[in-house]
Amino acid sequence: MRIYIAKRLLLIVPTLLGAATLVFLIMRVIPGDVALLIIGGDAGHVDPRQLAAMRERLGLDQPLLVQFGTWLWGVLRFDFGTSLWTGQPVVEELLIRLPLSLELAVLATLVSVVIAIPLGMLAAVRQDTWVDYVIRVVSIGGLAIPGFWVGILCILGLVIFFGWGPPLEFTPPWVDPWANLSQLIWPVLTVGYRYSAVTTRMTRSTLLEVMREDYIRTAWAKGLAERAIVIRHALKNSMLPVITLIGTEFAFLIGGLVVTETVFTLNGVGRFVVDAVAHRDYPVVQALIFLIAFSFVIVNLLVDLTYAWFDPRIRYR
Amino acid sequence: MTAGIRRYRTVITAVALAVLVGSLVVTPSAAPAAETPRRGGVLLAVIGADAPSLDPHQESTFATLQMVAPLYNLLIQIDPYNYPKVIGDLATEWKISPDGLTYTFKIRQGVKFHDGSPLTAADIKASYDKLVFPPQGTRSIRKIAYSAVTSIDAPDPATVVFKLKFPSASLLDNLASPWNVIYPKKYLDKDPNYFMKNAVGTGPFKFKNYTRGATFEGERNPDYHVKDRPYLNGYKFFISPETSVRAAAVRSGRAYIEFRDLPNSEVGAIKKQLGDKIVVQQTPMVGQFGIGMNNTVKPFTDVRVRKAMTLGFDRYTAGKVLYPLTGLRDVGPLIRPGTEWALPQAELEKLPGFWRDAEKSRVEARRLLAEAGYPNGFKVVMKNRNVKLPYQDLAVFVIQEWRKIGVEVENRPLETATWFNDLREGNFEMMINPTVEFMDDPDQFLNRYTKGAPQNYTRISDPAVDDLFARQARALDPVERKKLAHAFQKRVLENAYYMPGLWWTRNVVHWAKVKNYVAPPSHYTNQKLQDVWLSED
């Protein structure tokens, strides 16, 4: 197991190198001159000196290999340059937004797991009863109802019935846990509900599949209690696809919640990505794509390690 | 008990009851004293967009101006309590020469910038040089308003002189533009784009913090040159593009005011819930939402197609449908209807797009399209800003209108900065393109239809239009000027160079504890917050 972990950690390096290369190439291979796109120009007129200055600022006047080397060296030092929009280092801008997005992703994932796995289990063991139907209707609701609508309803409900609205500004939990909770609980529940719907259904179907296996049949025949069969034998073996799903969703949550962030006035990575694209903030867009790729790589590693813990048959060498 | 004691007790009881009843009678209160401004507190506001940059000279969005206006002063300003009167700000007095070619301003003494440096006439000159003669690499959106100016001088630290090559009827109004904030010369000398990302002014508030996409904060300037001002300790804008979220923020008290507009439906709900804790100031707005067609791009190079499009837009129904949602209501020409310079309604209704009979208009529209070679209509993309109120709502209405004449229009929402870029670069076929100014002034509203004007996004090029503009700008006789302004509007509308839509009314909603704020007709003016105070935190 240790050898496996070591191998996977080493493998991160070429994976991230590949991601960095891809990000670099994408931003340079797309048609059009990025510098021209950024500075635009009044009535189509472009000042050649301004254009040259922008190209120099972006490093586009250098040979491609030099640009790649500079980009990689920056990635290694977590230096992604300066935002063209804000004028601040990209890393600083990210650090303002990342804590919120990470906290939202972690809490939403926790909520979705806490809701989904028990509900999925219950739906599976009570298949085709009213319990199963209710859970399935609730989970279909989570899939079908747009998250932003749930979010807006949530805010409106609080305002109309309690005359209270969530804070509009993020307070880190270590500064004021109550203010942090009172802001984030609502988007966490909104996002958590949406994601629990997917996980509930996945848990239900994988558990149903596993419950039909011969070894489960043997366990029933041996007279084991239902609880022992489901939790000790069936659940663990049904978790592998669920873990993959949870991992993928979590990685997506880091930068994919632009609508939720808009509804709840959260200054997270999702909105920042969209704003950066709209402002043609090239260094920020590059950094964020790399960050999202990085999240997926790390989450995949954690998912694979979790596999090994859940399923001892997996022997990695 | 003796009868005497019983009688005594009865009398005492009666007296006590009388005193009790008397104390419950409402005594006429003294006349309420005028409210004394309370010092302290931070004004919390919500705003619907982020600023493309912090330099009002180079931007034309409320998102920039509302956030930075409290940090600056102007040379002269619109009276916050008496629109459209012009009063001094940094200027204490001014004289206009009899020939109208020289404007001399005396500058207030003892004013300091937030970095401690003193304000002099040189700073005003430098700021106006940037506006009127923008250096390469900067934009001055409204420079055409100052086309009459040949030079700006600062003969001494307390005097600024504007010299003109021809008289300009609107110059004083244009100098009162809320966009013309005064910057320190020393920063402009180093980098004319310095203020796109920085803010150093003389205003009642100093820049504190700006987190893009989240908040913008200013804090009290203790060295402000107006005694005992500002009352507030600071102000803070929360940036939230979603209208319902902003309304909820005001409703819950997380924000005390929304300076631009909230739709009637939200306002009704807020008022119902909060009653007299909330104040709604409704005002007609110096702005309209219309549609620009790129006159250099087919099929809009053909006047018949442009006329068909404006004929296909039933503005009168639009006013009824869109008013509850958006506040867009009044049908009018290129200048606000009912004001001095607007083309009179009787004349307007003779022009294409303004006939009362919508069906007759559509028949004519289809005929014109067929004549122009589009008997089955055509498809086109209309770019739009992704601000719902009222951009998206207007788009939904006009798209279904044009469908009735066979034209399929695709609405394409863009983020504010991208939308502005595409407007400036002419990178569009059609665009929802409002004309919003700070004053009902012909120069301000009409210059954008002249060739080469920075806001001539639709690339209109008509020498007759340019000539009419130039003549009305120089006409000091109001009667003559009115005739020319009317002729100008007729020319533009007859040729459908641009499609005005509906003029806006707006609802400024704020908690009653926000005192001394009067919502002007323009959401660009009265944003300095110098005299605003909070009766409670």
Side-chain angles (χ1 to χ4, degrees):
Chain A
M1 184 67 171
R2 276 193 219 127
I3 298 169
Y4 172 70
I5 293 172
K7 266 192 199 169
R8 287 305 310 272
L9 284 171
L10 285 171
L11 266 176
I12 285 180
V13 175
T15 312
L16 286 177
L17 187 65
T21 308
L22 210 57
V23 168
F24 173 82
L25 284 176
I26 284 172
M27 299 303 288
R28 280 154 183 83
V29 157
I30 50 172
D33 185 337
V34 169
L36 187 65
L37 201 66
I38 288 167
I39 63 172
D42 209 358
H45 167 74
V46 172
D47 179 2
R49 284 173 300 180
Q50 224 183 337
L51 184 60
M54 181 55 73
R55 290 183 66 80
E56 191 187 332
R57 187 173 172 185
L58 295 173
L60 297 174
D61 55 335
Q62 302 292 322
L64 205 63
L65 270 178
V66 170
Q67 289 183 46
F68 183 58
T70 311
W71 158 244
L72 261 190
W73 181 233
V75 166
L76 288 170
R77 292 176 304 132
F78 289 107
D79 176 7
F80 296 99
T82 307
S83 165
L84 296 176
W85 178 31
T86 71
Q88 303 300 316
V90 173
V91 168
E92 271 181 35
E93 293 289 350
L94 273 178
L95 287 176
I96 292 170
R97 293 158 176 84
L98 201 53
L100 184 151
S101 291
L102 269 178
E103 189 184 348
L104 184 55
V106 166
L107 291 179
T109 304
L110 271 173
V111 162
S112 79
V113 165
V114 160
I115 296 172
I117 292 178
L119 283 184
M121 253 174 36
L122 197 55
V125 299
R126 297 285 176 264
Q127 190 188 9
D128 294 332
T129 64
W130 68 269
V131 173
D132 182 24
Y133 296 141
V134 166
I135 291 171
R136 281 158 72 185
V137 164
V138 167
S139 65
I140 287 170
L143 286 171
I145 301 172
F148 71 86
W149 189 72
V150 173
I152 290 174
L153 279 191
C154 186
I155 291 175
L156 279 179
L158 289 168
V159 167
I160 291 170
F161 295 114
F162 301 101
W164 182 89
L168 298 175
E169 199 177 4
F170 178 65
T171 309
W174 53 87
V175 171
D176 187 347
W178 176 246
N180 176 265
L181 183 69
S182 53
Q183 186 186 31
L184 285 188
I185 185 69
W186 316 107
V188 161
L189 288 175
T190 304
V191 174
Y193 172 47
R194 164 86 176 85
Y195 282 104
S196 70
V198 183
T199 314
T200 302
R201 295 181 69 77
M202 177 64 86
T203 306
R204 179 186 177 275
S205 10
T206 53
L207 191 56
L208 281 173
E209 240 181 81
V210 164
M211 294 286 283
R212 286 174 175 87
E213 293 287 335
D214 284 346
Y215 64 90
I216 298 294
R217 199 179 160 84
T218 309
W220 283 114
K222 281 164 80 176
L224 291 180
E226 183 185 32
R227 192 186 164 109
I229 293 171
V230 171
I231 293 175
R232 205 185 305 155
H233 295 284
L235 186 63
K236 242 183 161 185
N237 290 327
S238 63
M239 279 291 103
L240 294 189
V242 176
I243 291 165
T244 311
L245 183 67
I246 292 169
T248 318
E249 282 172 10
F250 177 80
F252 174 73
L253 286 178
I254 303 287
L257 290 178
V258 56
V259 176
T260 306
E261 287 171 9
T262 303
V263 167
F264 289 98
T265 323
L266 301 172
N267 191 25
V269 172
R271 268 176 75 188
F272 194 41
V273 168
V274 172
D275 285 345
V277 168
H279 287 96
R280 296 165 189 170
D281 197 345
Y282 181 89
V284 169
V285 173
Q286 268 190 152
L288 287 174
I289 295 173
F290 181 75
L291 170 72
I292 291 166
F294 180 81
S295 331
F296 272 95
V297 166
I298 297 301
V299 165
N300 273 331
L301 169 66
L302 291 172
V303 164
D304 287 348
L305 293 178
T306 316
Y307 274 2
W309 182 75
F310 264 94
D311 190 350
R313 292 174 304 172
I314 297 170
R315 292 278 179 260
Y316 296 104
R317 299 198 193 280
Chain B
M1 196 185 292
T2 64
I5 291 172
R6 274 203 296 274
R7 221 175 311 146
Y8 173 75
R9 277 184 178 170
T10 306
V11 167
I12 294 298
T13 307
V15 168
L17 275 173
V19 167
L20 181 63
V21 168
S23 72
L24 292 175
V25 168
V26 174
T27 52
S29 56
E35 286 188 285
T36 307
R38 173 183 165 269
R39 296 197 165 279
V42 175
L43 182 72
L44 305 177
V46 272
I47 190 166
D50 214 335
S53 84
L54 301 184
D55 185 356
H57 293 189
Q58 303 202 47
E59 302 299 342
S60 39
T61 169
F62 69 93
T64 295
L65 192 59
Q66 287 186 357
M67 290 203 278
V68 307
L71 309 176
Y72 294 104
N73 287 103
L74 311 166
L75 178 64
I76 53 178
Q77 60 179 335
I78 311 273
D79 188 337
Y81 305 106
N82 194 5
Y83 173 88
K85 187 174 171 215
V86 173
I87 60 174
D89 194 1
L90 291 171
T92 53
E93 57 181 277
W94 55 91
K95 284 195 190 74
I96 306 173
S97 63
D99 59 5
L101 298 180
T102 306
Y103 287 62
T104 306
F105 294 86
K106 283 293 174 200
I107 306 305
R108 196 180 298 276
Q109 296 301 289
V111 179
K112 285 197 196 145
F113 286 105
H114 298 147
D115 64 2
S117 59
L119 168 102
T120 70
D123 301 298
I124 296 176
K125 174 183 156 50
S127 303
Y128 267 94
D129 278 338
K130 179 171 171 295
L131 283 161
V132 179
F133 314 112
Q136 191 115 37
T138 70
R139 275 191 308 262
S140 178
I141 304 285
R142 289 154 288 271
K143 74 175 179 188
I144 197 162
Y146 313 102
S147 54
V149 176
T150 52
S151 68
I152 304 156
D153 300 305
D156 63 65
T159 308
V160 175
V161 181
F162 289 77
K163 287 221 178 329
L164 280 60
K165 53 184 176 241
F166 51 80
S168 171
S170 290
L171 184 68
L172 202 68
D173 287 345
N174 286 328
L175 290 175
S177 168
W179 303 94
N180 295 2
V181 299
I182 302 301
Y183 294 134
K185 177 178 185 298
K186 62 182 181 192
Y187 297 104
L188 291 176
D189 288 343
K190 285 187 206 152
D191 177 7
N193 287 317
Y194 179 81
F195 294 100
M196 291 185 83
K197 293 189 171 62
N198 299 283
V200 180
T202 55
F205 298 91
K206 296 161 77 159
F207 172 71
K208 186 177 175 191
N209 186 39
Y210 179 28
T211 306
R212 265 79 174 173
T215 55
F216 187 99
E217 293 177 79
E219 59 187 359
R220 190 171 184 278
N221 174 13
D223 299 318
Y224 189 49
H225 58 270
V226 177
K227 194 171 174 298
D228 295 332
R229 301 287 193 278
Y231 297 115
L232 296 168
N233 285 342
Y235 69 96
K236 189 168 186 173
F237 278 95
F238 296 101
I239 299 162
S240 176
E242 181 57 44
T243 305
S244 57
V245 173
R246 292 199 305 282
V250 172
R251 206 164 167 174
S252 65
R254 290 284 180 191
Y256 307 152
I257 187 166
E258 212 279 11
F259 281 109
R260 183 173 176 255
D261 182 34
L262 284 177
N264 291 317
S265 51
E266 296 281 6
V267 169
I270 294 173
K271 199 74 184 138
K272 197 172 167 191
Q273 182 175 356
L274 295 171
D276 55 12
K277 288 188 196 161
I278 277 285
V279 171
V280 180
Q281 297 190 44
Q282 189 177 75
T283 164
M285 192 148 159
V286 187
Q288 64 84 33
F289 275 74
I291 299 108
M293 295 168 284
N294 192 331
N295 285 258
T296 59
V297 163
K298 280 186 179 177
F300 303 116
T301 47
D302 190 330
V303 63
R304 293 169 295 188
V305 173
R306 296 198 305 269
K307 273 186 174 165
M309 295 300 281
T310 191
L311 281 161
F313 177 9
D314 178 4
R315 290 163 171 82
Y316 300 101
T317 303
K320 293 189 194 114
V321 167
L322 292 175
Y323 176 63
L325 286 171
T326 65
L328 292 175
R329 184 184 65 193
D330 301 326
V331 179
L334 304 178
I335 299 180
R336 186 158 65 111
T339 59
E340 191 184 357
W341 311 105
L343 189 67
Q345 208 65 18
E347 288 185 53
L348 181 67
E349 288 180 16
K350 296 176 190 161
L351 299 173
F354 297 91
W355 303 346
R356 285 280 177 179
D357 188 338
E359 199 39 53
K360 182 180 163 197
S361 302
R362 284 184 203 116
V363 166
E364 176 64 6
R366 284 187 217 106
R367 187 193 73 74
L368 284 168
L369 283 175
E371 195 181 287
Y374 301 99
N376 300 316
F378 56 88
K379 283 189 181 161
V380 72
V381 169
M382 180 170 70
K383 290 186 175 177
N384 199 356
R385 189 177 180 186
N386 70 342
V387 173
K388 189 164 188 307
L389 178 74
Y391 292 80
Q392 298 301 320
D393 298 322
L394 175 62
V396 167
F397 183 86
V398 291
I399 285 171
Q400 57 90 32
E401 285 287 286
W402 288 320
R403 203 168 279 145
K404 296 174 190 170
I405 59 167
V407 177
E408 280 298 320
V409 177
E410 178 202 328
N411 181 42
R412 195 172 289 174
L414 303 169
E415 205 275 340
T416 294
T418 313
W419 172 74
F420 266 119
N421 266 331
D422 283 355
L423 259 183
R424 287 180 201 127
E425 292 164 35
N427 182 19
F428 64 93
E429 295 170 298
M430 291 179 78
M431 182 78 90
I432 296 276
N433 174 20
T435 61
V436 186
E437 292 295 341
F438 70 90
M439 216 169 180
D440 298 293
D441 177 82
D443 272 19
Q444 290 179 34
F445 271 99
L446 303 182
N447 81 73
R448 69 195 70 228
Y449 308 107
T450 60
K451 188 177 176 182
Q455 285 181 298
N456 183 358
Y457 303 129
T458 50
R459 276 52 180 164
I460 298 167
S461 177
D462 184 339
V465 165
D466 298 345
D467 176 63
L468 281 165
F469 180 79
R471 284 162 57 201
Q472 71 78 34
R474 291 160 170 76
L476 298 178
D477 172 17
V479 172
E480 175 63 18
R481 194 181 187 196
K482 209 181 287 189
K483 263 194 342 210
L484 292 165
H486 290 175
F488 181 105
Q489 291 170 76
K490 268 182 85 171
R491 175 88 188 172
V492 170
L493 295 175
E494 271 167 351
N495 288 279
Y497 288 132
Y498 172 78
M499 271 190 276
L502 294 171
W503 288 82
W504 211 356
T505 61
R506 67 194 190 107
N507 298 305
V508 175
V509 181
H510 61 87
W511 281 70
K513 63 184 173 184
V514 178
K515 301 291 188 190
N516 217 14
Y517 177 75
V518 172
S522 164
H523 62 317
Y524 299 136
T525 55
N526 197 15
Q527 292 297 143
K528 213 161 46 179
L529 309 181
Q530 172 182 293
D531 301 310
V532 173
W533 52 282
L534 292 171
S535 60
E536 56 186 273
D537 279 336

